[in-house]
Amino acid sequence: MNNVREAAAIVISHLIQQQGSLTTLLSDQFETISERDKALLQQLCYGTARDYYRLYAVAGRLLKQPCDQTDTDVLALILLGLYQLRDMRIPAHAAISETVSAISALGKPWAKGLINAILRRYQREGVDIEEKLAKTDESYAFNHPTWMIEKLRHNWPDHWQSLLHNNDIKGPLCLRINALKLTVGQWETQAQAQAIGYQSGHFSEHAIYLDEAMDVHLIPGFDEGHLSIQDEAAQLASALLELAPGQRVLDACAAPGGKLCHLLESEAELSDVIGLELNEGRIGRIYQNLERLGLQTRCQVLQGDASSQDWWDGQLFDRILLDTPCSGTGVIRRNPDIKILRQNENILHLAKLQLDILENLWQVLKVDGVLVYATCSVFPQENERIIERFCKLHSDAHHDPIKAEWGIERPYGRQLFPQTSSHDGFFYARLIKKA
């Protein structure tokens, strides 16, 4: 069984090498440690990933030369040690001792002295080092990769600093009330009886924000399928589809199923609903959500590629929700590893994929049908520019401006930015197919 810091070093080392996401890497390491250490492991990994660029800049000042590619586990332990000293309540002597000890289990006892010296030097000189970095190193000051800082500054000259700031603040826990089983008022009565603090959503009538995060199974009605966890920005998709009885609806790129379940909750008399997902491993998550909410008989889930038509039965759709694969830059506060894993060149490849999927799905939409295009990205290259280009290429594509109180109106679609005590970053555009 692994030491918790050894497990954390493995996770962070693989992240640095871009060999998996925080979620999947943590899942693997949870199997190697004791139950009582799982919360600490998660805190260590998420905290180090969230502060990665500050920690990396500090480590760069403390190391005489950068760690070799074969020693990313040594670098990972240095970052983990710095995170504990900077941001955790663990006594400094214990944090240093446990972190130094973990390197032996990773087969590199020669690095003990190096890690110990760096962490103790940080104790002595850390304040001065960080003051200088704040003035001279932009990636330290804004805690993001340089390419992302520059891209956001260019794309959003009035918003880029608040975007970077909000990316480093943990997002609140937001719930979606299942309108088929419960009213918001009924849930509020249950919450008040159990002294659970909450705030109503700002833009979705079904959204509830908890004042403090808690185990989902302790939330009144969760296990009974009365509510789900879903950010308020993601809850806006259902209303934009303008659902009505008898419609045939496609949710493309459907995993993990939150939006699919919401549209089923929003309109009980849809004639035919299909959830499409490319990744076979994620389809199980869709079924879990459908079954917990009692919606498994109301739709069909298919494995298929939204950029092809191998899965299509030839019947056109009245409504299509395309929550397309994207950079995820609107949800960094929930997935801090995005800052480490995403590269500038990824955006161009994603934009091509997004346009390919949109081109393909447009062919299976009825005349007068509605397609809602959505991403959890804040980059125009993945959002409004895709819609603008598509409309210029297709004379039958009518951009239907979204009139709403949320987000920022753009020439094409509306952009939401992550808010400190509210929703994540998101983009929506609505297209109507004309004859």
Side-chain angles (χ1 to χ4, degrees):
M1 183 162 293
N2 286 356
N3 171 284
V4 65
R5 287 168 180 80
E6 175 193 350
I10 292 170
V11 171
I12 299 301
S13 175
H14 280 81
L15 269 186
I16 294 170
Q17 298 176 66
Q18 302 206 333
Q19 295 177 344
S21 69
L22 199 50
T23 301
T24 56
L25 292 170
L26 269 173
S27 179
D28 291 342
Q29 290 304 312
F30 279 156
E31 299 178 7
T32 71
I33 64 171
S34 64
E35 189 67 31
R36 63 184 176 82
D37 282 336
K38 288 183 178 180
L40 176 58
L41 175 61
Q42 184 158 315
Q43 183 181 5
L44 286 169
C45 293
Y46 268 87
T48 301
R50 183 170 283 110
D51 286 348
Y52 178 81
Y53 285 92
R54 289 202 178 108
L55 298 170
Y56 186 81
V58 172
R61 290 296 179 95
L62 295 168
L63 284 162
K64 291 182 179 179
Q65 59 186 28
C67 286
D68 190 81
Q69 283 293 318
T70 60
D71 293 323
T72 54
D73 47 0
V74 176
L75 174 60
L77 272 176
I78 291 170
L79 300 179
L80 285 160
L82 291 172
Y83 173 68
Q84 292 169 79
L85 294 175
R86 292 176 81 248
D87 299 296
M88 293 185 71
R89 296 180 179 178
I90 299 171
H93 66 88
I96 294 173
S97 173
E98 293 293 329
T99 302
V100 170
S101 296
I103 197 63
S104 294
L106 294 169
K108 295 183 177 177
W110 59 265
K112 273 188 172 185
L114 172 67
I115 296 172
N116 183 67
I118 286 175
L119 297 182
R120 294 197 180 281
R121 184 182 164 198
Y122 177 78
Q123 282 186 293
R124 299 190 304 270
E125 304 174 26
V127 173
D128 290 339
I129 288 172
E130 297 207 41
E131 284 180 355
K132 291 176 183 176
L133 284 169
K135 298 174 183 177
T136 59
D137 189 323
E138 197 167 55
S139 65
Y140 172 90
F142 293 109
N143 195 31
H144 281 70
T146 302
W147 74 266
M148 194 177 290
I149 297 169
E150 292 175 351
K151 199 175 191 73
L152 290 173
R153 182 191 283 123
H154 173 73
N155 288 328
W156 303 108
D158 297 329
H159 305 282
W160 67 278
Q161 291 197 51
S162 63
L163 260 167
L164 294 170
H165 173 74
N166 286 333
N167 280 350
D168 285 338
I169 298 175
K170 294 180 183 178
L173 179 59
C174 186
L175 309 175
R176 184 190 75 238
I177 302 296
N178 182 349
L180 295 177
K181 295 187 176 184
L182 199 68
T183 66
V184 172
Q186 288 171 331
W187 185 84
E188 288 176 339
T189 300
Q190 296 176 25
Q192 290 165 3
Q194 296 192 29
I196 296 175
Y198 66 90
Q199 305 292 326
S200 297
H202 307 287
F203 307 113
S204 167
E205 62 178 328
H206 301 129
I208 295 286
Y209 289 95
L210 296 191
D211 291 347
E212 294 184 14
M214 60 188 297
D215 184 336
V216 294
H217 301 294
L218 299 178
I219 300 173
F222 183 85
D223 289 336
E224 293 77 19
H226 294 174
L227 65 156
S228 301
I229 293 179
Q230 186 181 39
D231 184 73
E232 187 175 14
Q235 294 184 36
L236 301 173
S238 180
L240 292 175
L241 286 167
E242 297 180 342
L243 299 170
Q247 290 174 341
R248 188 169 202 242
V249 181
L250 171 68
D251 179 1
C253 313
K259 298 180 188 68
L260 175 63
C261 291
H262 191 200
L263 66 88
L264 290 169
E265 294 169 2
S266 300
E267 176 51 65
E269 298 182 23
L270 297 170
S271 69
D272 187 18
V273 179
I274 292 177
L276 182 68
E277 174 54 40
L278 174 63
N279 189 330
E280 183 178 7
R282 302 186 75 200
I283 288 178
R285 183 74 183 278
I286 299 176
Y287 281 123
Q288 289 174 7
N289 283 317
L290 289 168
E291 289 171 8
R292 187 179 61 81
L293 298 169
L295 300 168
Q296 64 270 32
T297 62
R298 296 264 315 280
C299 72
Q300 183 181 6
V301 179
L302 302 178
Q303 182 184 3
D305 185 349
S307 65
S308 76
Q309 295 180 11
D310 296 346
W311 51 271
W312 185 43
D313 62 5
Q315 297 183 61
L316 296 172
F317 293 92
D318 299 283
R319 298 288 186 269
I320 296 177
L321 172 60
L322 171 53
D323 185 7
T324 184
C326 71
S327 63
T329 44
V331 293
I332 284 175
R333 63 185 186 171
R334 301 188 192 278
N335 303 279
D337 51 331
I338 288 171
K339 290 192 289 186
I340 305 171
L341 297 173
R342 206 68 71 232
Q343 303 294 320
N344 192 20
E345 54 268 25
N346 298 150
I347 309 303
L348 181 62
H349 297 300
L350 285 166
K352 183 182 184 304
L353 174 62
Q354 290 152 358
L355 189 59
D356 287 346
I357 294 175
L358 182 54
E359 291 272 3
N360 181 61
L361 294 182
W362 194 248
Q363 300 173 52
V364 305
L365 182 67
K366 289 181 181 178
V367 172
D368 295 325
V370 174
L371 184 148
V372 171
Y373 178 93
T375 78
C376 53
S377 170
V378 295
F379 290 140
Q381 191 174 352
E382 301 179 83
N383 297 336
E384 59 192 85
R385 293 178 196 166
I386 295 289
I387 303 303
E388 178 182 18
R389 183 177 176 189
F390 183 79
C391 289
K392 288 178 178 178
L393 291 171
H394 295 269
S395 59
D396 59 349
H398 169 70
H399 170 243
D400 186 26
I402 298 168
K403 302 301 180 184
E405 296 180 356
W406 47 262
I408 299 172
E409 184 175 12
R410 303 300 298 161
Y412 292 85
R414 292 187 79 87
Q415 180 71 59
L416 299 107
F417 297 132
Q419 303 296 311
T420 303
S421 301
S422 184
H423 56 73
D424 292 338
F426 232 83
F427 174 83
Y428 285 108
R430 187 164 56 201
L431 299 175
I432 300 175
K433 191 171 189 177
K434 296 297 185 181

